[in-house]
Amino acid sequence: SQQGEEDPQALSIQEGENATMNCSYKTSINNLQWYRQNSGRGLVHLILIRSNEREKHSGRLRVTLDTSKKSSSLLITASRAADTASYFCATDAAAGNKLTFGGGTRVLVKP
Amino acid sequence: NAGVTQTPKFQVLKTGQSMTLQCAQDMNHNSMYWYRQDPGMGLRLIYYSASEGTTDKGEVPNGYNVSRLNKREFSLRLESAAPSQTSVYFCASLGQVGETQYFGPGTRLLVL
């Protein structure tokens, strides 16, 4: 079973627009992480947000975490064609340091 | 530092054949993980090793075995490959609990 469920499954936007994707999870967590995966490649870590944090920024990325709703969002501002990738949330559950991944959001940024 | 390395990059097996996927990390991390990723899906944990000398099952361990050879190396073995094991396999390592995992480039496995 997957801890994280992502929404939407796919997203198509024009270069310069913002992209928002959401992740919901089921159990309490230590932290939640977002990863990017380009087609056929490995995973690249983007941001880690701890359970006592509500918002975090890294460059054009903004992540929010609402533990009461068990949900997180990833916002990519001013998107570029190079942002085309799949984005995954992963939760580090309170019971251990194993990551459980969502199914991912496939983002296509059109030039 | 090379980070997390995996060999081979790509492998084709026939049903019933065996093989070992190798993973090594040079970051002196304690914990190591094996995941599989099926098309269009997220990663699922197969086995992990919280520290040298220990291994534990993840979400989908059936059909696999692992060995934590030393602190650097964590191998995944398929004793009798099945078409359902066609997937991309990722190894990862973790330095400290609560921090981010570092992933290898993956091994693409096709079982015919």
Side-chain angles (χ1 to χ4, degrees), chain B residues 59-106:
Chain B
E59 183 185 352
V60 287
N62 290 347
Y64 305 95
N65 285 302
V66 290
S67 295
R68 184 73 183 268
L69 305 171
N70 47 56
K71 193 171 187 179
R72 287 188 66 247
E73 298 171 289
F74 188 37
S75 63
L76 178 72
R77 183 160 177 83
L78 287 70
E79 291 291 351
S80 179
S84 61
Q85 293 177 306
T86 292
S87 191
V88 181
Y89 292 85
F90 289 99
C91 176
S93 69
L94 174 73
Q96 291 186 341
V97 172
E99 298 299 325
T100 181
Q101 292 187 14
Y102 292 84
F103 284 82

Side-chain angles (χ1 to χ4, degrees), chain A residues 44-62:
Chain A
V44 174
H45 178 257
L46 297 176
I47 288 186
L48 180 153
I49 186 165
R50 302 189 192 285
S51 60
N52 61 352
E53 297 175 313
R54 292 298 166 257
E55 188 170 313
K56 219 166 176 182
H57 297 255
S58 176
R60 293 183 296 110
L61 306 179
R62 173 177 170 255

Side-chain angles (χ1 to χ4, degrees), chain A residues 1-5 26 89-91 98-103, chain B residues 33-38 41-49 55-64 66 76 89:
Chain A
S1 63
Q2 289 189 315
Q3 160 84 310
E5 296 295 334
K26 298 172 185 172
C89 69
T91 52
K98 299 173 287 184
L99 288 181
T100 304
F101 283 81
Chain B
Y33 307 80
W34 276 107
Y35 296 88
R36 61 176 287 173
Q37 184 180 30
D38 297 322
M41 295 181 67
L43 279 67
R44 291 183 293 168
L45 183 65
I46 305 171
Y47 269 95
Y48 68 103
S49 170
T55 61
D56 284 289
K57 295 178 180 179
E59 183 185 352
V60 287
N62 290 347
Y64 305 95
V66 290
L76 178 72
Y89 292 85

Side-chain angles (χ1 to χ4, degrees), chain A residues 3-111:
Chain A
Q3 160 84 310
E5 296 295 334
E6 294 176 65
D7 171 60
Q9 291 187 332
L11 184 58
S12 180
I13 56 175
Q14 293 293 136
E15 208 165 24
E17 293 180 339
N18 295 343
T20 300
M21 59 210 84
N22 303 296
C23 171
S24 60
Y25 57 92
K26 298 172 185 172
T27 65
S28 58
I29 59 172
N30 290 321
N31 63 68
L32 186 145
Q33 304 178 33
W34 286 91
Y35 289 83
R36 184 185 73 226
Q37 184 179 38
N38 292 89
S39 180
R41 310 291 289 272
L43 276 78
V44 174
H45 178 257
L46 297 176
I47 288 186
L48 180 153
I49 186 165
R50 302 189 192 285
S51 60
N52 61 352
E53 297 175 313
R54 292 298 166 257
E55 188 170 313
K56 219 166 176 182
H57 297 255
S58 176
R60 293 183 296 110
L61 306 179
R62 173 177 170 255
V63 167
T64 63
L65 178 65
D66 186 336
T67 53
S68 67
K69 295 181 179 177
K70 291 187 170 58
S71 68
S72 174
S73 68
L74 170 66
L75 167 67
I76 305 172
T77 60
S79 62
R80 305 167 182 169
D83 294 329
T84 293
S86 290
Y87 293 81
F88 294 93
C89 69
T91 52
D92 181 347
N97 55 345
K98 299 173 287 184
L99 288 181
T100 304
F101 283 81
T105 294
R106 287 172 292 285
V107 175
L108 172 63
V109 181
K110 294 179 282 187

